[in-house]
Amino acid sequence: MFYTAKLIYLYYKYKHQAGKVRGSGCYWFVTDLYLRWDFCIFALIYGTAPVARWNANALFRMTFEELDLTDDVLDALYDMNFRECTPIQEQAIPAALAGRDLIAVAQTGTGKTAAFLLPVINELGQREPSEKVKCVVMTPTRELAIQIDTALEGFSYFLPISSLAIYGGTDGAGFAQQQRALKNGVEVIIATPGRLLAHLQMGYVDLSEVEFFILDEADRMLDMGFHDDIMTIASHLPKEGRRTMMFSATMPAKIQKLAASVLDNPVEIKIAVSKPTEKIDQSAYIVPEASKTPLLCHLFESVNSKRVIVFASSKLKVKELSRSLRRMKLNVGEMHSDLDQEQRDEVMHGFRNGRIDILVATDIVARGIDIDDISMVVNYDVPHDAEDYVHRIGRTARANADGTAITLVGERDRRKFKDIERFLGYAVRKGELPAELQGGASYSSARPDKGGRDRRKGEKAAGGRGRRKGDRPTATAPAAANAPEKPNNKPESATAAENATPAKGESRSKTETQDKAENQAKAESHAGAETQAKARHGRRNFRRRPKAQQKPE
């Protein structure tokens, strides 16, 4: 064990020095290779096989030093504690540095931001600063645009690269500030499609020298209806000498169609959607739609209700659910598209610093928003697909922490949740409803009972709509005595049928006979009224008006 400990000490000592000393890459590569293999051999000898296996896997993981990045970029990565590439970075960065178009499919949280920003920063950093726009990054939401702009500032800390985040939801002063920055000149624009198009239409944005066109979360932008805006923006870009990179979490047909229109012989990279980490305690409750909010309130009463994100499918549900939780005196914030940028920033800032305990949000927060210490995620509605489910619950159990994910499965969402379980490869644990909410359908019944409809038909056939006239309760004696006498305009057959109420214990056949007599009397009455109307108006093809339109005689 002495030699093992010594090798660990030497390994991290030399790795720390190699991060600071440039120009000794060959020496460090040989030393690192030797130390890693030596450590594996000694670890195997002394019985620390799991550590040896981890180190052997790390041996084949690419580091940023192995990429063709400048020292200024590597220094920024080192200061930000970035050492090794993620799979998407390992495949995308070399292709982008080689000048190829690429389309990459990888879920949120795999390091896509660095995968497309580092090649751009590496190339622009080797030139003189320019006032022309050289790179355009398109994102679906304002929060993601701000986050990418913040990451770019960190990666280019030692380089004079200017950037600007452009998004809607701001007041007139915010729009004017963006306008001044665009007129003064900026190299990198990170924008939502609608707001960038608004600036383009005003005529002071020049995109004729753009060299990098990046579409982040392309599938989400198409889902939000930005296809036409993206194509309009792309028409303002040069067709020659432009590199286009598209990143998406899924690859539906509409993404392939968009890629064919904006990409030129791209490199295709596909990283499999990873399953949720084992540190997430997943569970689901099969609950009727009307009982979801009471169940959620019960959960917040029985478990810790701090650092929680609740995802709902629409902004209307977000508003209603937020009001319900505030009635419980819970500290709740809401995030949806109706909020302007100042309100969104205030909510996110309050949630990050702990002033807000529960954040109720649409899928705005599910992708690309980096908040580490989330204790629980609740899916108030089942996500549309398995990738969205992974993105949502991936907000918790970050930074090697534990987390909880709860999904409320309504009656219409059982089949959808079955598909998610099929993707995960296992059944999510089902929670037991509180006693006051029990009585709903079980999870095993994927469809309503077919016999229910037939049973209802049988009840209607046996008893008709509601009670028969003979079953109606009679008025009390004083009320009957004081009630005015109504004229009886019905035929005698109808009056006889009504007065012949079945006595207790009479047979079913006698009751059916009385019902038939009553219906026949009604038919005769209607036929007589219709005949009189025909004679009065003298029309050959007479059609009865609805009761509301018939004129009094």
Side-chain angles (χ1 to χ4, degrees):
M1 296 302 295
F2 170 78
Y3 291 102
T4 304
K6 184 176 181 180
L7 280 171
I8 294 174
Y9 168 75
L10 291 174
Y11 176 81
Y12 285 103
K13 176 182 177 182
Y14 283 112
K15 190 164 184 67
H16 180 72
Q17 292 178 352
K20 292 184 176 180
V21 180
R22 305 296 177 195
S24 58
C26 181
Y27 169 76
W28 161 240
F29 176 77
V30 175
T31 305
D32 181 51
L33 185 65
Y34 167 74
L35 285 175
R36 291 193 182 195
W37 277 114
D38 210 8
F39 175 72
C40 291
I41 294 171
F42 273 91
L44 285 170
I45 292 174
Y46 287 100
T48 56
V51 179
R53 286 196 297 270
W54 170 84
N55 201 58
N57 292 332
L59 175 64
F60 301 103
R61 191 177 299 167
M62 180 179 289
T63 62
F64 287 105
E65 284 86 355
E66 299 176 51
L67 298 173
D68 190 17
L69 300 174
T70 63
D71 289 347
D72 291 327
V73 176
L74 291 174
D75 287 339
L77 290 170
Y78 179 80
D79 291 343
M80 296 173 69
N81 201 28
F82 284 90
R83 299 289 186 272
E84 296 172 338
C85 303
T86 64
I88 186 65
Q89 294 166 357
E90 185 176 339
Q91 299 183 48
I93 293 177
L97 290 175
R100 296 287 303 277
D101 286 5
L102 64 90
I103 177 170
V105 180
Q107 70 182 85
T108 300
T110 55
K112 291 186 293 184
T113 302
F116 61 75
L117 284 183
L118 291 180
V120 174
I121 296 172
N122 190 75
E123 184 159 339
L124 296 181
Q126 301 180 50
R127 309 176 188 173
E128 292 295 326
S130 173
E131 296 182 355
K132 298 292 185 178
V133 179
K134 300 295 183 182
C135 174
V136 174
V137 181
M138 306 300 302
T139 66
T141 64
R142 315 168 224 183
E143 289 74 20
L144 191 54
I146 296 172
Q147 182 173 308
I148 293 174
D149 186 42
T150 304
L152 188 143
E153 291 178 357
F155 294 145
S156 63
Y157 185 80
F158 300 105
L159 295 169
I161 298 176
S162 58
S163 63
L164 175 65
I166 299 176
Y167 44 84
T170 59
D171 54 8
F175 187 88
Q177 184 179 1
Q178 296 174 6
Q179 189 178 41
R180 287 193 301 270
L182 289 170
K183 289 181 178 179
N184 293 334
V186 63
E187 289 183 277
V188 181
I189 291 176
I190 304 103
T192 54
R195 179 47 62 95
L196 179 58
L197 190 59
H199 285 289
L200 273 172
Q201 292 172 347
M202 299 184 72
Y204 48 79
V205 181
D206 182 15
L207 302 181
S208 61
E209 296 188 18
V210 170
E211 301 178 18
F212 297 93
F213 184 45
I214 300 167
L215 302 174
D216 189 23
E217 301 287 357
D219 55 342
R220 181 63 68 188
M221 284 193 286
L222 295 187
D223 290 340
M224 296 172 68
F226 286 135
H227 178 272
D228 293 341
D229 292 348
I230 292 173
M231 297 307 299
T232 303
I233 294 171
S235 65
H236 288 77
L237 305 177
K239 296 183 180 179
E240 299 295 333
R242 184 192 80 197
R243 278 174 272 180
T244 305
M245 291 178 273
M246 180 185 296
F247 292 81
S248 176
T250 58
M251 184 60 74
K254 55 186 178 182
I255 288 293
Q256 298 177 9
K257 183 178 179 180
L258 177 63
S261 60
V262 299
L263 299 177
D264 181 21
N265 189 24
V267 175
E268 295 185 8
I269 301 170
K270 188 170 184 179
I271 306 297
V273 177
S274 61
K275 306 297 174 64
T277 175
E278 296 179 356
K279 290 183 173 293
I280 302 177
D281 180 21
Q282 301 178 59
S283 60
Y285 289 86
I286 313 304
V287 58
E289 193 71 27
S291 301
K292 283 187 176 182
T293 301
L295 175 60
L296 188 61
C297 296
H298 173 80
L299 291 174
F300 286 149
E301 289 176 351
S302 58
V303 300
N304 182 21
S305 60
K306 294 185 180 297
R307 314 301 294 153
V308 178
I309 298 180
V310 181
F311 287 108
S313 59
S314 66
K315 59 185 178 183
L316 180 61
K317 284 189 177 181
V318 169
K319 296 176 183 178
E320 294 176 349
L321 185 57
S322 299
R323 287 194 293 267
S324 299
L325 295 178
R326 288 193 185 101
R327 295 191 195 103
M328 295 179 58
K329 308 301 181 183
L330 294 174
N331 194 3
V332 180
E334 57 186 73
M335 177 71 70
H336 49 77
S337 59
D338 282 352
L339 301 180
D340 59 32
Q341 189 57 41
E342 184 178 355
Q343 292 173 318
R344 289 190 181 194
D345 293 341
E346 183 180 355
V347 171
M348 293 304 298
H349 182 67
F351 187 63
R352 282 193 171 97
N353 62 25
R355 288 191 293 106
I356 295 175
D357 297 328
I358 302 171
L359 180 64
V360 185
T362 56
D363 280 328
I364 290 175
V365 189
R367 295 196 184 195
I369 305 302
D370 190 12
I371 305 174
D372 286 336
D373 55 343
I374 304 300
S375 64
M376 183 168 67
V377 170
V378 179
N379 292 313
Y380 189 82
D381 299 301
V382 177
H384 295 293
D385 49 45
E387 287 82 1
D388 287 340
Y389 178 82
V390 173
H391 293 153
R392 284 186 180 184
I393 71 173
R395 299 303 97 193
T396 187
R398 305 183 67 146
N400 204 28
D402 295 331
T404 304
I406 298 175
T407 303
L408 308 185
V409 183
E411 298 174 354
R412 298 180 179 180
D413 296 331
R414 294 182 214 163
R415 185 180 299 277
K416 195 188 301 181
F417 194 71
K418 277 286 189 183
D419 295 337
I420 293 175
E421 289 181 319
R422 192 176 299 110
F423 168 80
L424 297 176
Y426 53 84
V428 176
R429 176 174 56 86
K430 306 302 182 298
E432 184 177 354
L433 294 177
E436 61 271 17
L437 298 177
Q438 287 184 358
S442 63
Y443 185 63
S444 59
S445 59
R447 294 182 179 179
D449 185 11
K450 292 183 179 179
R453 182 179 298 176
D454 298 335
R455 189 163 51 250
R456 288 192 297 272
K457 287 182 178 179
E459 292 173 358
K460 185 180 292 186
R465 280 190 178 178
R467 293 172 297 201
R468 292 187 299 273
K469 290 186 178 180
D471 295 335
R472 290 179 180 173
T474 58
T476 58
N482 298 329
E485 184 178 356
K486 296 182 179 180
N488 187 5
N489 298 326
K490 297 182 181 179
E492 295 181 359
S493 59
T495 307
E498 278 191 7
N499 294 334
T501 55
K504 186 176 180 179
E506 285 186 359
S507 64
R508 179 183 179 87
S509 60
K510 187 175 181 180
T511 304
E512 291 178 354
T513 304
Q514 293 172 355
D515 289 340
K516 289 179 180 179
E518 181 182 349
N519 294 335
Q520 184 178 359
K522 288 182 180 180
E524 292 174 0
S525 175
H526 291 317
E530 195 168 315
T531 304
Q532 293 176 4
K534 285 182 180 180
R536 183 171 58 254
H537 293 282
R539 296 178 183 175
R540 178 174 297 179
N541 297 325
F542 176 77
R543 294 182 181 179
R544 284 193 302 121
R545 296 188 182 93
K547 290 183 179 180
Q549 298 179 7
Q550 287 183 5
K551 297 180 180 179
E553 296 182 2

